[in-house]
Structure formats: structure tokens, C-alpha cells
Amino acid sequence: MQATLDMANNNGATRHPDPAWRGRVIMAVLGLALLWPMVVTSEFKPSVLLDWQSLEATGRFLAGFLPPAHSPEFLAMLAHETWQTVAIATSGLTLALLGAIPGALLVSDKLSISRLGTGRMRLPSAMLRQVARWLLVLLRSVPELVWALLFVRIIGLGPTAGVLAIALTYCGMLGKVYAEILESADGDASAVLLANGSGRLAAFLYGTLPEAASELVSYTLYRWECAIRGSVVMGFVGAGGLGQRMDESMKMLSGGEVSSMLIIFVLLVAGADAVSKMLRGRLA
């Protein structure tokens, strides 16, 4: 009896295949067809990594990383540059928040007072929101590295260029994502407050913020971590911090110093991740 049931089940599986297999195969083929021209255009050649000359050069390059530099003078300089890198990222993100928070409140449709009753936004309000939206698009469209190059040309070498570059790019990024988080939150409480005469700021603080606070803080801390990495990269164009020192060490072929700085990079990101996890836990 059991053998008969097993045979029936096997026959049923044969007669009724996965109905979505054709769609999956077609999507996979289309994905490969779209990906292949991009791979060709990017001139991506993995075989180069396995070439004997490439492997030999890689071995010599990595051998220079050992041992990491650890002289007292170098470690003191490394501590100073690490602190400067964190300061650049934090200052830039703080300036970005000063523009991103008002921008997010401005472009958020759920906090629109003119939509009450009719559900339609008045033309001046809609135009103002569109201008603010395009301003955020403009700010985040230019990478922070490009902003840093421009500011280095204008105000010279130093951390100020990095702070301003992070502030402009991250203002656009944070403003956009903050607005999306506010739009995805439950707007009933804010709508009730607005309908009863509350201002936009009060409706945000008491209606939307309590629900969206955890997600807002999580994304802000993630962007702080990205700002730390970005400040390191901008150092290569003269914006100060660890990146500038690393560029100098690489030009002098000092692998031990580069190795020590890479270790600091890992510790910085790990520390930012630990802070983010702690704050998210407290908010939860």
C-alpha cells in the first residue's frame, strides 16, 4: 500500500512540475543578456588576477605589509590622524543634518497642511516641495570625492574641504531617505494633529517621530560609518585625515605604515557598528 502511494506521489510530481520554472529561466537568461554587455564594457578580466606576474607582484606587495609599523612616533601620529578622521566625519554629518532634517520635513507630503480637507496640495506648496526635492537631488548627485576636489581647489588642502564635502553630499542623501522613512510611517497620528490645528513641527515630533525614530537613528549611524570611510578616501585628494597620510606612505612604498592604517580602518568601522548596535538596542 505504501509503495502504491509513493508511486502515485512520484507520478503526481512528474505530471505537475513547478509552474513558475519557465518564468525563472526567462528572467535568468534576460539577466545574463543584460549583464554580459556591462561586463564587456567594464573590461572586467578575472583571469588577470591568476596571471603569474600578477600573483608575484601581489606577493611582493603584501610581503611589504609585515610587520606593521609600530614605532612610538608613528603611533602618536596615527592616533592624531585617526581622531582627525573621526572629527571630519562627525562634523560633516552634523552639518548635513542641519540641512537634511528641514529638507525632509519640507518634502514630506504627509506633513502638508494644505492637503487637509481636499486632499490636494496647493500650487505654491507643491512648487516649494519640488524645488527642495531637486535641491536634494543636486546635492547627492555629486560624489563627496568630487566636492572635496572642488573645495581643495578653492580653500586649499586640509580637513575643511572634507567636512564641507561630506556635509553637501550627505545632506542630499539623508534628506531623501528621511523623507521616505517619514512617508512610510503611519500618518494617522500626524493627520489628526494637523487637523486639530497643530503645526508641522509639532505633528512631526509627536505624531511621526516616535514611530520612525529607530529607523531614522539606524540610518543616521550607518551614514556616520560611511562618512568615516568617505573621509579616509577624501584624504587622498588632500582633505586631511588618515587618507592623506596613507597616500604619503604608499608613495614612499612604506608597506608597514599602510598595514597599520588598514588595521585602524577596520577598528573604526567595527567601533561605529558597535555604537550603532548599542543605540538601536536602547531605542528598541
Side-chain angles (χ1 to χ4, degrees):
M1 184 65 178
Q2 184 63 35
T4 303
L5 291 175
D6 292 341
M7 185 177 297
N9 290 334
N10 292 334
N11 291 336
T14 303
R15 293 173 184 172
H16 303 285
D18 184 2
W21 73 272
R22 289 187 180 86
R24 294 193 181 100
V25 171
I26 292 173
M27 292 301 296
V29 172
L30 290 176
L32 291 175
L34 292 174
L35 180 62
W36 179 249
M38 298 180 186
V39 173
V40 174
T41 304
S42 65
E43 299 182 4
F44 177 60
K45 299 177 181 178
S47 59
V48 176
L49 298 175
L50 302 178
D51 182 72
W52 173 249
Q53 292 183 348
S54 299
L55 292 175
E56 188 177 3
T58 302
R60 291 196 304 268
F61 180 71
L62 294 178
F65 279 26
L66 299 175
H70 55 277
S71 64
E73 296 81 6
F74 175 76
L75 292 180
M77 182 274 295
L78 192 60
H80 176 268
E81 298 301 327
T82 301
W83 172 247
Q84 188 177 73
T85 297
V86 176
I88 292 172
T90 307
S91 301
L93 187 67
T94 302
L95 289 177
L97 289 172
L98 295 179
I101 294 175
L105 295 177
L106 188 60
V107 303
S108 177
D109 293 340
K110 284 190 175 180
L111 296 175
S112 174
I113 298 177
S114 63
R115 294 181 62 182
L116 295 177
T118 63
R120 296 180 179 180
M121 194 180 303
R122 288 195 294 265
L123 182 60
S125 299
M127 292 179 63
L128 180 61
R129 279 172 172 76
Q130 193 60 38
V131 170
R133 196 170 283 116
W134 278 108
L135 179 60
L136 295 177
V137 170
L138 173 64
L139 292 177
R140 69 175 181 272
S141 297
V142 182
E144 61 265 36
L145 185 60
V146 177
W147 283 120
L149 282 169
L150 295 176
F151 284 120
V152 165
R153 293 281 185 176
I154 295 172
I155 62 179
L157 301 174
T160 303
V163 172
L164 294 175
I166 290 176
L168 291 178
T169 301
Y170 280 54
C171 177
M173 292 180 178
L174 290 169
K176 174 184 181 296
V177 177
Y178 284 175
E180 291 179 351
I181 292 174
L182 297 180
E183 290 294 331
S184 63
D186 186 9
D188 292 341
S190 299
V192 171
L193 290 173
L194 292 173
N196 285 276
S198 172
R200 288 165 51 84
L201 183 59
F204 165 72
L205 292 175
Y206 298 103
T208 306
L209 184 60
E211 180 183 352
S214 179
E215 194 171 355
L216 291 172
V217 170
S218 178
Y219 182 75
T220 303
L221 291 173
Y222 168 71
R223 274 296 153 196
W224 179 58
E225 178 185 324
C226 294
I228 291 176
R229 296 198 302 268
S231 63
V232 171
V233 175
M234 287 184 294
F236 282 85
V237 298
L242 276 174
Q244 188 168 341
R245 296 300 181 182
M246 186 175 184
D247 183 44
E248 296 172 358
S249 298
M250 292 183 69
K251 289 178 179 178
M252 293 187 298
L253 302 179
S254 180
E257 294 182 359
V258 175
S259 176
S260 298
M261 294 179 189
L262 289 176
I263 294 173
I264 295 298
F265 294 165
V266 174
L267 294 177
L268 281 176
V269 174
D273 184 69
V275 172
S276 175
K277 182 178 180 181
M278 178 188 68
L279 291 179
R280 284 199 306 267
R282 290 191 175 184
L283 286 174

PDB file of all heavy atoms in Angstrom, residues 29-50:
ATOM      1  N   VAL A  29      17.906  34.212 -18.118  1.00  0.00           N
ATOM      2  CA  VAL A  29      18.501  34.467 -19.436  1.00  0.00           C
ATOM      3  C   VAL A  29      18.540  35.964 -19.732  1.00  0.00           C
ATOM      4  O   VAL A  29      19.547  36.498 -20.227  1.00  0.00           O
ATOM      5  CB  VAL A  29      17.723  33.707 -20.533  1.00  0.00           C
ATOM      6  CG1 VAL A  29      18.208  34.119 -21.923  1.00  0.00           C
ATOM      7  CG2 VAL A  29      17.878  32.207 -20.340  1.00  0.00           C
ATOM      8  N   LEU A  30      17.443  36.676 -19.426  1.00  0.00           N
ATOM      9  CA  LEU A  30      17.420  38.119 -19.641  1.00  0.00           C
ATOM     10  C   LEU A  30      18.453  38.840 -18.774  1.00  0.00           C
ATOM     11  O   LEU A  30      19.107  39.789 -19.217  1.00  0.00           O
ATOM     12  CB  LEU A  30      16.018  38.666 -19.357  1.00  0.00           C
ATOM     13  CG  LEU A  30      14.921  38.298 -20.361  1.00  0.00           C
ATOM     14  CD1 LEU A  30      13.575  38.839 -19.894  1.00  0.00           C
ATOM     15  CD2 LEU A  30      15.255  38.837 -21.743  1.00  0.00           C
ATOM     16  N   GLY A  31      18.596  38.369 -17.513  1.00  0.00           N
ATOM     17  CA  GLY A  31      19.591  38.968 -16.631  1.00  0.00           C
ATOM     18  C   GLY A  31      21.005  38.805 -17.169  1.00  0.00           C
ATOM     19  O   GLY A  31      21.803  39.745 -17.161  1.00  0.00           O
ATOM     20  N   LEU A  32      21.315  37.592 -17.650  1.00  0.00           N
ATOM     21  CA  LEU A  32      22.640  37.366 -18.232  1.00  0.00           C
ATOM     22  C   LEU A  32      22.836  38.183 -19.500  1.00  0.00           C
ATOM     23  O   LEU A  32      23.931  38.703 -19.760  1.00  0.00           O
ATOM     24  CB  LEU A  32      22.822  35.872 -18.525  1.00  0.00           C
ATOM     25  CG  LEU A  32      22.948  34.956 -17.299  1.00  0.00           C
ATOM     26  CD1 LEU A  32      22.992  33.499 -17.734  1.00  0.00           C
ATOM     27  CD2 LEU A  32      24.189  35.309 -16.489  1.00  0.00           C
ATOM     28  N   ALA A  33      21.779  38.289 -20.312  1.00  0.00           N
ATOM     29  CA  ALA A  33      21.879  39.065 -21.553  1.00  0.00           C
ATOM     30  C   ALA A  33      22.141  40.545 -21.261  1.00  0.00           C
ATOM     31  O   ALA A  33      22.842  41.216 -22.022  1.00  0.00           O
ATOM     32  CB  ALA A  33      20.598  38.903 -22.369  1.00  0.00           C
ATOM     33  N   LEU A  34      21.580  41.072 -20.160  1.00  0.00           N
ATOM     34  CA  LEU A  34      21.826  42.459 -19.792  1.00  0.00           C
ATOM     35  C   LEU A  34      23.181  42.634 -19.108  1.00  0.00           C
ATOM     36  O   LEU A  34      23.834  43.666 -19.264  1.00  0.00           O
ATOM     37  CB  LEU A  34      20.714  42.956 -18.857  1.00  0.00           C
ATOM     38  CG  LEU A  34      19.315  43.090 -19.479  1.00  0.00           C
ATOM     39  CD1 LEU A  34      18.296  43.438 -18.411  1.00  0.00           C
ATOM     40  CD2 LEU A  34      19.318  44.153 -20.568  1.00  0.00           C
ATOM     41  N   LEU A  35      23.596  41.627 -18.346  1.00  0.00           N
ATOM     42  CA  LEU A  35      24.844  41.735 -17.597  1.00  0.00           C
ATOM     43  C   LEU A  35      26.066  41.599 -18.491  1.00  0.00           C
ATOM     44  O   LEU A  35      27.082  42.274 -18.279  1.00  0.00           O
ATOM     45  CB  LEU A  35      24.877  40.668 -16.500  1.00  0.00           C
ATOM     46  CG  LEU A  35      26.123  40.634 -15.612  1.00  0.00           C
ATOM     47  CD1 LEU A  35      26.268  41.943 -14.850  1.00  0.00           C
ATOM     48  CD2 LEU A  35      26.058  39.458 -14.640  1.00  0.00           C
ATOM     49  N   TRP A  36      25.986  40.746 -19.508  1.00  0.00           N
ATOM     50  CA  TRP A  36      27.160  40.470 -20.334  1.00  0.00           C
ATOM     51  C   TRP A  36      27.701  41.724 -21.022  1.00  0.00           C
ATOM     52  O   TRP A  36      28.923  41.970 -20.976  1.00  0.00           O
ATOM     53  CB  TRP A  36      26.844  39.378 -21.349  1.00  0.00           C
ATOM     54  CG  TRP A  36      28.010  39.068 -22.245  1.00  0.00           C
ATOM     55  CD1 TRP A  36      28.137  39.328 -23.569  1.00  0.00           C
ATOM     56  CD2 TRP A  36      29.226  38.430 -21.843  1.00  0.00           C
ATOM     57  NE1 TRP A  36      29.351  38.908 -24.032  1.00  0.00           N
ATOM     58  CE2 TRP A  36      30.049  38.352 -22.996  1.00  0.00           C
ATOM     59  CE3 TRP A  36      29.697  37.936 -20.634  1.00  0.00           C
ATOM     60  CZ2 TRP A  36      31.318  37.787 -22.965  1.00  0.00           C
ATOM     61  CZ3 TRP A  36      30.972  37.376 -20.599  1.00  0.00           C
ATOM     62  CH2 TRP A  36      31.764  37.311 -21.753  1.00  0.00           C
ATOM     63  N   PRO A  37      26.873  42.554 -21.672  1.00  0.00           N
ATOM     64  CA  PRO A  37      27.432  43.783 -22.272  1.00  0.00           C
ATOM     65  C   PRO A  37      28.092  44.702 -21.246  1.00  0.00           C
ATOM     66  O   PRO A  37      29.089  45.366 -21.558  1.00  0.00           O
ATOM     67  CB  PRO A  37      26.211  44.457 -22.918  1.00  0.00           C
ATOM     68  CG  PRO A  37      25.227  43.362 -23.112  1.00  0.00           C
ATOM     69  CD  PRO A  37      25.433  42.424 -21.968  1.00  0.00           C
ATOM     70  N   MET A  38      27.551  44.736 -20.026  1.00  0.00           N
ATOM     71  CA  MET A  38      28.160  45.570 -18.995  1.00  0.00           C
ATOM     72  C   MET A  38      29.525  45.039 -18.601  1.00  0.00           C
ATOM     73  O   MET A  38      30.473  45.807 -18.373  1.00  0.00           O
ATOM     74  CB  MET A  38      27.243  45.636 -17.772  1.00  0.00           C
ATOM     75  CG  MET A  38      25.888  46.269 -18.056  1.00  0.00           C
ATOM     76  SD  MET A  38      24.842  46.314 -16.588  1.00  0.00           S
ATOM     77  CE  MET A  38      23.307  46.929 -17.290  1.00  0.00           C
ATOM     78  N   VAL A  39      29.651  43.705 -18.495  1.00  0.00           N
ATOM     79  CA  VAL A  39      30.947  43.108 -18.157  1.00  0.00           C
ATOM     80  C   VAL A  39      31.962  43.398 -19.254  1.00  0.00           C
ATOM     81  O   VAL A  39      33.126  43.728 -18.987  1.00  0.00           O
ATOM     82  CB  VAL A  39      30.784  41.588 -17.937  1.00  0.00           C
ATOM     83  CG1 VAL A  39      32.147  40.936 -17.753  1.00  0.00           C
ATOM     84  CG2 VAL A  39      29.903  41.316 -16.733  1.00  0.00           C
ATOM     85  N   VAL A  40      31.525  43.290 -20.522  1.00  0.00           N
ATOM     86  CA  VAL A  40      32.425  43.568 -21.644  1.00  0.00           C
ATOM     87  C   VAL A  40      32.839  45.037 -21.650  1.00  0.00           C
ATOM     88  O   VAL A  40      34.022  45.367 -21.848  1.00  0.00           O
ATOM     89  CB  VAL A  40      31.740  43.179 -22.974  1.00  0.00           C
ATOM     90  CG1 VAL A  40      32.598  43.610 -24.155  1.00  0.00           C
ATOM     91  CG2 VAL A  40      31.484  41.681 -23.031  1.00  0.00           C
ATOM     92  N   THR A  41      31.874  45.940 -21.417  1.00  0.00           N
ATOM     93  CA  THR A  41      32.184  47.370 -21.423  1.00  0.00           C
ATOM     94  C   THR A  41      33.140  47.752 -20.308  1.00  0.00           C
ATOM     95  O   THR A  41      34.020  48.599 -20.485  1.00  0.00           O
ATOM     96  CB  THR A  41      30.876  48.186 -21.289  1.00  0.00           C
ATOM     97  OG1 THR A  41      29.987  47.816 -22.344  1.00  0.00           O
ATOM     98  CG2 THR A  41      31.158  49.671 -21.360  1.00  0.00           C
ATOM     99  N   SER A  42      32.976  47.131 -19.131  1.00  0.00           N
ATOM    100  CA  SER A  42      33.847  47.432 -17.995  1.00  0.00           C
ATOM    101  C   SER A  42      35.234  46.805 -18.122  1.00  0.00           C
ATOM    102  O   SER A  42      36.105  47.073 -17.289  1.00  0.00           O
ATOM    103  CB  SER A  42      33.194  46.958 -16.693  1.00  0.00           C
ATOM    104  OG  SER A  42      33.068  45.541 -16.687  1.00  0.00           O
ATOM    105  N   GLU A  43      35.439  45.962 -19.171  1.00  0.00           N
ATOM    106  CA  GLU A  43      36.728  45.298 -19.404  1.00  0.00           C
ATOM    107  C   GLU A  43      37.166  44.484 -18.187  1.00  0.00           C
ATOM    108  O   GLU A  43      38.348  44.462 -17.818  1.00  0.00           O
ATOM    109  CB  GLU A  43      37.794  46.323 -19.784  1.00  0.00           C
ATOM    110  CG  GLU A  43      37.475  47.089 -21.053  1.00  0.00           C
ATOM    111  CD  GLU A  43      38.565  48.082 -21.440  1.00  0.00           C
ATOM    112  OE1 GLU A  43      39.606  48.108 -20.751  1.00  0.00           O
ATOM    113  OE2 GLU A  43      38.374  48.805 -22.420  1.00  0.00           O
ATOM    114  N   PHE A  44      36.199  43.851 -17.550  1.00  0.00           N
ATOM    115  CA  PHE A  44      36.490  43.011 -16.388  1.00  0.00           C
ATOM    116  C   PHE A  44      37.073  41.678 -16.845  1.00  0.00           C
ATOM    117  O   PHE A  44      36.438  40.934 -17.588  1.00  0.00           O
ATOM    118  CB  PHE A  44      35.211  42.780 -15.588  1.00  0.00           C
ATOM    119  CG  PHE A  44      35.386  41.868 -14.401  1.00  0.00           C
ATOM    120  CD1 PHE A  44      36.260  42.196 -13.382  1.00  0.00           C
ATOM    121  CD2 PHE A  44      34.680  40.678 -14.315  1.00  0.00           C
ATOM    122  CE1 PHE A  44      36.429  41.355 -12.298  1.00  0.00           C
ATOM    123  CE2 PHE A  44      34.840  39.839 -13.236  1.00  0.00           C
ATOM    124  CZ  PHE A  44      35.720  40.180 -12.225  1.00  0.00           C
ATOM    125  N   LYS A  45      38.307  41.395 -16.408  1.00  0.00           N
ATOM    126  CA  LYS A  45      39.007  40.177 -16.817  1.00  0.00           C
ATOM    127  C   LYS A  45      39.552  39.477 -15.570  1.00  0.00           C
ATOM    128  O   LYS A  45      40.653  39.779 -15.100  1.00  0.00           O
ATOM    129  CB  LYS A  45      40.152  40.513 -17.764  1.00  0.00           C
ATOM    130  CG  LYS A  45      39.691  41.189 -19.063  1.00  0.00           C
ATOM    131  CD  LYS A  45      40.872  41.568 -19.930  1.00  0.00           C
ATOM    132  CE  LYS A  45      40.408  42.263 -21.207  1.00  0.00           C
ATOM    133  NZ  LYS A  45      41.550  42.677 -22.054  1.00  0.00           N
ATOM    134  N   PRO A  46      38.766  38.563 -14.988  1.00  0.00           N
ATOM    135  CA  PRO A  46      39.235  37.871 -13.769  1.00  0.00           C
ATOM    136  C   PRO A  46      40.511  37.075 -13.993  1.00  0.00           C
ATOM    137  O   PRO A  46      41.267  36.836 -13.038  1.00  0.00           O
ATOM    138  CB  PRO A  46      38.056  36.945 -13.425  1.00  0.00           C
ATOM    139  CG  PRO A  46      36.886  37.499 -14.155  1.00  0.00           C
ATOM    140  CD  PRO A  46      37.425  38.139 -15.382  1.00  0.00           C
ATOM    141  N   SER A  47      40.777  36.644 -15.231  1.00  0.00           N
ATOM    142  CA  SER A  47      41.963  35.827 -15.490  1.00  0.00           C
ATOM    143  C   SER A  47      43.248  36.585 -15.184  1.00  0.00           C
ATOM    144  O   SER A  47      44.292  35.972 -14.908  1.00  0.00           O
ATOM    145  CB  SER A  47      41.963  35.362 -16.944  1.00  0.00           C
ATOM    146  OG  SER A  47      41.957  36.470 -17.826  1.00  0.00           O
ATOM    147  N   VAL A  48      43.188  37.933 -15.214  1.00  0.00           N
ATOM    148  CA  VAL A  48      44.388  38.720 -14.924  1.00  0.00           C
ATOM    149  C   VAL A  48      44.870  38.480 -13.497  1.00  0.00           C
ATOM    150  O   VAL A  48      46.077  38.492 -13.217  1.00  0.00           O
ATOM    151  CB  VAL A  48      44.099  40.217 -15.163  1.00  0.00           C
ATOM    152  CG1 VAL A  48      45.285  41.071 -14.779  1.00  0.00           C
ATOM    153  CG2 VAL A  48      43.737  40.451 -16.621  1.00  0.00           C
ATOM    154  N   LEU A  49      43.923  38.234 -12.586  1.00  0.00           N
ATOM    155  CA  LEU A  49      44.302  38.016 -11.187  1.00  0.00           C
ATOM    156  C   LEU A  49      45.083  36.726 -10.998  1.00  0.00           C
ATOM    157  O   LEU A  49      45.849  36.600 -10.034  1.00  0.00           O
ATOM    158  CB  LEU A  49      43.041  37.997 -10.313  1.00  0.00           C
ATOM    159  CG  LEU A  49      42.224  39.291 -10.290  1.00  0.00           C
ATOM    160  CD1 LEU A  49      40.948  39.085  -9.494  1.00  0.00           C
ATOM    161  CD2 LEU A  49      43.039  40.434  -9.694  1.00  0.00           C
ATOM    162  N   LEU A  50      44.874  35.767 -11.884  1.00  0.00           N
ATOM    163  CA  LEU A  50      45.550  34.470 -11.766  1.00  0.00           C
ATOM    164  C   LEU A  50      46.811  34.396 -12.614  1.00  0.00           C
ATOM    165  O   LEU A  50      47.464  33.350 -12.658  1.00  0.00           O
ATOM    166  CB  LEU A  50      44.586  33.347 -12.177  1.00  0.00           C
ATOM    167  CG  LEU A  50      43.287  33.270 -11.364  1.00  0.00           C
ATOM    168  CD1 LEU A  50      42.398  32.151 -11.900  1.00  0.00           C
ATOM    169  CD2 LEU A  50      43.584  33.046  -9.887  1.00  0.00           C
TER     170      LEU A  50
END
